[in-house]
Amino acid sequence: MKRFNARGAAVASQTTKDVLDGSLARQVFSEAERATKGWIVRSDGDYLCPKDGDVGFTADLAEAGAFDTEEEAREAGRDHCDPGYVVMRDPR
């Protein structure tokens, strides 16, 4: 069965298989992965490294600590970094 938009043009429909095999599935799974990794803070080439209730710095991304929420990361950046720090999703 063909579907049409408001202008009368045919609209391609996606089957469940198309959604699961295609880019939509990759996008959904990618967003879910990013949501579980947390947030990191970078300042002047170093990363914040929260550990045991304290916050230090490390030059190695592998040692950078992740914050659970973006707001926690921003708060730590305000408290421990000079202006210009960057909060980003953890890419690891």
Side-chain angles (χ1 to χ4, degrees):
M1 180 173 156
K2 285 190 175 183
R3 294 176 36 204
F4 299 91
N5 65 16
R7 295 181 183 164
V11 176
S13 63
Q14 290 184 317
T15 65
T16 303
K17 184 178 183 309
D18 291 334
V19 171
L20 293 176
D21 290 342
S23 63
L24 180 59
R26 284 190 298 276
Q27 179 182 353
V28 169
F29 292 122
S30 176
E31 288 174 8
E33 280 183 341
R34 283 188 302 213
T36 61
K37 292 182 182 179
W39 299 83
I40 59 174
V41 180
R42 185 170 183 184
S43 177
D44 297 327
D46 289 331
Y47 299 93
L48 285 185
C49 185
K51 189 174 181 181
D52 299 327
D54 196 15
V55 178
F57 290 89
T58 180
D60 187 2
L61 176 60
E63 295 176 8
F67 295 89
D68 291 333
T69 67
E70 183 180 10
E71 183 55 37
E72 287 177 358
R74 290 195 184 287
E75 190 174 313
R78 283 191 297 268
D79 292 345
H80 300 283
C81 300
D82 292 331
Y85 66 91
V86 177
V87 174
M88 64 184 104
R89 287 197 182 270
D90 190 340
R92 301 172 287 182

